[in-house]
Amino acid sequence: MEERSSDIIEIKDSSVNVRELMEEIESRLARRPVSKEELERLSRWKFSPQSPEGYREFDAAETAHLFEKGISPPKFTNPKFKYIRGPIRWLFIKLIELYAFLDKKLSENRTRAFYSVLNELILLRGDHEKLKRKFEKFYSEFVELNYTLKKEISPEFVWSNEFLYEEETLEESETLILSRLNPGDSVLAINPEWGKFLKQLLKAQIEFKAVTWNKSQYSYIKENITNSVSLLSFEEVLPESPLPSKIISNANLCLLPNWVLEKLFKSLASKTSGGTEFIFRYSNYSNRMVSPFQPILLTQISESAFREFLQKLGFKNIVDTKAGDGFSVFSFRK
């Protein structure tokens, strides 16, 4: 293990299983309280390689150095070589040095071929990075165009309506979100579905504002639960700044189309101020009802890609908590 700086640790030993190491760190963090400073420091750690097989990022200079290094005489620190002493040791070293010299001279054509291939790899890597940047720009423009054209979700039956007739009980992941809120908090509830979670906020005497993009849900919440709800379009997504210090969503993110989620998180990154706390949850499986008829999931979320996406938008202190009801609760800060 080589420590390059206080924030970046690179693992080059192929015998180290990085995945097991990360699981051990997460398990230890779960057994003791962690300060904000520790979380910020851990969020900046970068482990390489990312696979248990020991592959790491290609380094052209290091590869060329290893190729030219050739054979080195042993240091005779191994106990097996303790009987090789005096003139025999000197002769042994000279023979190895001579063999290394001859091998280098005899393999000059092979060396030139190697550097030719290495140069081609460097050029290909440069082209790959250019294509990657172009693709990211193209994808960003595609998403912008997508949610510009699709300003509403139609038909409305794809939206969740499973909470409309359920009892007013919270699932484990929803209880987890509620436990992180206090009566003095300033809360914005995004897409509260039919308002079951909003009733729990009222019972806990937590002041909040709610935002929904569905007319039917908006009418139901306003008539039966609270007036602190706004109906917005996908052009706005969020209310005008300043926004509350805590922004939550108890709805399953996977019930929303991908272009809505892209718009939502990019708007959160641009409209919120530093220190804002976010709590969202999602599940890629419809496992909340004992019924053969499950709600439609429009989007599948990759946990690792989701975390990387949030980091690119400037969010930090990203913590993923697995709940027993099959949901993942993601909390992070601006």
Side-chain angles (χ1 to χ4, degrees), residues 253-310:
L253 294 179
C254 294
L255 291 169
L256 295 172
N258 66 316
W259 54 272
V260 173
L261 296 177
E262 292 266 4
K263 175 78 171 180
L264 172 62
F265 285 103
K266 288 183 178 180
S267 299
L268 289 173
S270 61
K271 288 189 175 183
T272 55
S273 56
T276 305
E277 183 179 357
F278 307 88
I279 310 175
F280 293 84
R281 71 171 189 152
Y282 76 88
S283 175
N284 287 315
Y285 306 97
S286 300
N287 54 5
R288 303 196 299 188
M289 299 188 302
V290 184
S291 169
F293 310 109
Q294 298 294 316
I296 296 174
L297 298 180
L298 301 180
T299 303
Q300 188 173 31
I301 298 176
S302 168
E303 180 179 320
S304 58
F306 186 33
R307 183 182 297 271
E308 183 179 356
F309 175 73
L310 294 175

Side-chain angles (χ1 to χ4, degrees), residues 91-197:
L91 181 61
F92 187 68
I93 292 175
K94 291 302 179 182
L95 287 173
I96 293 178
E97 289 177 349
L98 178 61
Y99 174 79
F101 174 76
L102 292 175
D103 180 71
K104 186 174 182 180
K105 286 296 182 182
L106 293 173
S107 60
E108 288 182 354
N109 291 334
R110 185 178 63 189
T111 302
R112 285 196 294 268
F114 166 77
Y115 277 106
S116 178
V117 173
L118 187 62
N119 180 67
E120 190 67 22
L121 287 174
I122 294 173
L123 294 176
L124 288 174
R125 186 179 183 185
D127 292 339
H128 170 75
E129 292 297 328
K130 292 178 182 178
L131 288 173
K132 184 178 178 181
R133 288 192 295 269
K134 287 183 179 180
F135 174 78
E136 289 177 351
K137 182 180 179 181
F138 167 77
Y139 179 73
S140 178
E141 292 175 351
F142 167 75
V143 171
E144 292 282 342
L145 178 63
N146 207 358
Y147 62 62
T148 299
L149 296 176
K150 300 178 180 179
K151 296 181 180 179
E152 62 180 14
I153 300 177
S154 181
E156 287 191 357
F157 65 77
V158 300
W159 284 64
S160 172
N161 59 3
E162 56 195 284
F163 284 160
L164 184 56
Y165 303 107
E166 282 189 356
E167 297 180 359
E168 297 179 13
T169 57
L170 294 182
E171 299 177 48
E172 181 180 336
S173 53
E174 291 179 304
T175 304
L176 180 61
I177 296 176
L178 188 63
S179 67
R180 299 182 182 180
L181 304 177
N182 300 309
D185 291 336
S186 175
V187 178
L188 174 65
I190 300 175
N191 186 30
E193 295 182 314
W194 297 96
K196 184 190 73 169
F197 190 78

Side-chain angles (χ1 to χ4, degrees), residues 81-93:
F81 299 123
K82 66 180 180 179
Y83 298 107
I84 303 177
R85 299 177 180 177
I88 299 178
R89 176 180 295 185
W90 178 86
L91 181 61
F92 187 68
I93 292 175

Side-chain angles (χ1 to χ4, degrees), residues 19 35 48 57 60 99 137 143 148 170 189 228-229 285 292 311:
R19 186 177 300 169
S35 64
S48 177
E57 187 177 356
Y99 174 79
K137 182 180 179 181
V143 171
T148 299
L170 294 182
S228 298
V229 59
Y285 306 97
Q311 290 174 342

Side-chain angles (χ1 to χ4, degrees), residues 197-210:
F197 190 78
L198 298 183
K199 292 182 180 179
Q200 300 298 326
L201 294 179
L202 291 173
K203 288 182 180 180
Q205 298 182 345
I206 297 175
E207 295 185 4
F208 65 87
K209 294 181 180 179

